[in-house]
Amino acid sequence: MKPRPRSGDRGTSSHILDIAEGLVQSRGFNGFSYADIAAALAISKPALYYHFPSKAELGVALIRRYEQRFFDALSAIGDRDAPARLERYASLYAGVLREGRMCLCGMLAAEYSTLSEPMQQSVIHFSDRNEEWLSGVLTQGQRERTLAFAGTPRERAHMIISCLEGAMLVARLYGDVDMFQTTASSLLAGLSTSAG
Amino acid sequence: MKPRPRSGDRGTSSHILDIAEGLVQSRGFNGFSYADIAAALAISKPALYYHFPSKAELGVALIRRYEQRFFDALSAIGDRDAPARLERYASLYAGVLREGRMCLCGMLAAEYSTLSEPMQQSVIHFSDRNEEWLSGVLTQGQRERTLAFAGTPRERAHMIISCLEGAMLVARLYGDVDMFQTTASSLLAGLSTSAG
DNA sequence: GTCTATAGGCAGATAGAC
DNA sequence: GTCTATCTGCCTATAGAC
């Protein structure tokens, strides 16, 4: 019997994921341990194992929740013209960076070869879905004639995601969010037509 | 007295760095241990400590050597017009990726917050120098009228490096070097003038 | 320069009480 | 669900022989 969490109390599992998420995004999956989470929550290490029986399973749960929230945020962008959706899309990344964090998926991409197979699959799944969503926006832009670019929407989506990830990686190195904004803006500016 | 290494024998320190470099570029600095290097060289762990008294000092030596070689490779690009130099520059990244590796500097950028302060400084130093070199090429291109772009050469250099790093990160996820080539090409294509 | 042996700590993970 | 106690193994690093 799982007790239903009271409103405002999302339960211990949720709090564990909150802490773990921040640790992965700032230090990487190989850069923290259960002891770090336990300390942050003032709880014992074995208590964590009740909720997540292994670090790898915690990792999978982490990606799944992040994915859920990320695509909820994309849905919340709503119906706008493509350039406006792109701008909101980029601002999601900027928000993460402003907290001194790397994109979860980008961080795990760096550590990819050290991850368990289920975690690797989860990273790929997230990445594929992200590219698919962005590709849809680019296709919309072509249809609307608000966006113009060489190559397929898929290729362009891949390029934009790659550049945003890289821009986060490097901007975080210098603790300079403005650097990211400059790169993101000039990346997207090149796509807009005068019709937009 | 350090014995002079015979030609072709660059010494144990050098071999240690070779292995460590590959490990960092594929697994990250937090993703390998002295035991991995020892196993690869069929040598004991304490022997490694004779050459590098701590993992952090090995890390600094690693960055320094990588930097030396990288900028030697940039010098070897020689005097050409800016677009040609850019193309060779991007192909250096592609070569690393082809070995299934991430750029050393990009990998360490992801793990930045977990690195010792000397390692952090070394990463920044490398990154600054890289940006400076690329910025010089972009300035040359403006002078020659072979390149045209919005913003300052510095900003553009920063953007190009960011995008190349991100493109490596994501391409490595899918084990697809062509993806990187496509992104790199379209990134550089946008800079060339018809004069070039 | 390289070895064997080992210290001391922290990692991921389990047992069993409450 | 959470605790204390504990296991095993690996990590970084050192001591001291050859």
Side-chain angles (χ1 to χ4, degrees), chain A residues 20-31:
Chain A
E21 189 177 279
L23 286 168
V24 174
Q25 290 185 263
S26 59
R27 304 175 53 88
F29 193 74
N30 295 327

Side-chain angles (χ1 to χ4, degrees), chain B residues 12 43-44 46-47 50-51:
Chain B
T12 305
I43 208 178
S44 70
Y50 172 81
H51 299 277

Side-chain angles (χ1 to χ4, degrees), chain B residues 70-188:
Chain B
F70 185 76
F71 289 100
D72 283 354
L74 293 188
S75 296
I77 288 177
D79 291 337
R80 305 163 191 278
D81 66 5
R85 296 179 89 190
L86 285 184
E87 200 192 310
R88 306 237 168 180
Y89 178 76
S91 77
L92 284 180
Y93 286 77
V96 170
L97 186 61
R98 216 168 281 119
E99 291 166 4
R101 299 186 187 189
M102 183 56 196
C103 167
L104 185 78
C105 197
M107 184 62 93
L108 295 177
E111 298 176 296
Y112 189 71
S113 70
T114 72
L115 304 178
S116 68
E117 214 232 311
M119 279 191 74
Q120 291 187 334
Q121 286 179 357
S122 301
V123 171
I124 293 287
H125 182 262
F126 178 98
S127 186
D128 284 346
R129 245 184 107 181
N130 191 13
E131 199 168 300
E132 200 175 330
W133 185 90
L134 184 55
S135 187
V137 174
L138 295 175
T139 302
Q140 172 198 346
Q142 282 185 324
R143 208 182 329 115
E144 293 171 350
R145 304 198 186 284
T146 51
L147 298 179
F149 47 85
T152 66
R154 264 281 172 197
E155 283 168 355
R156 207 65 183 187
H158 185 87
M159 178 193 169
I160 292 171
I161 290 168
S162 293
C163 293
L164 290 177
E165 293 289 347
M168 287 187 83
L169 198 65
V170 182
R172 214 175 57 109
L173 202 60
Y174 293 95
D176 188 340
V177 181
D178 288 346
M179 276 178 169
F180 174 84
Q181 299 281 12
T182 303
T183 294
S185 297
S186 104
L187 193 63
L188 300 184

Side-chain angles (χ1 to χ4, degrees), chain A residues 156-172:
Chain A
R156 206 64 182 189
H158 185 87
M159 179 192 168
I160 292 171
I161 290 169
S162 294
C163 293
L164 290 178
E165 293 290 348
M168 287 188 84
L169 198 66
V170 181
R172 215 174 57 108

Side-chain angles (χ1 to χ4, degrees), chain A residues 74-86:
Chain A
L74 292 188
S75 296
I77 288 177
D79 290 338
R80 306 165 189 279
D81 66 4
R85 296 179 89 191
L86 284 185

Side-chain angles (χ1 to χ4, degrees), chain A residues 12 28-29 39 41 49 53-54 68 71 76 94 115 120 141 146 158 166 170 177:
Chain A
T12 305
F29 193 74
L41 291 178
Y49 282 89
S54 76
Q68 172 87 51
F71 289 99
L115 303 178
Q120 292 186 334
T146 52
H158 185 87
V170 181
V177 181

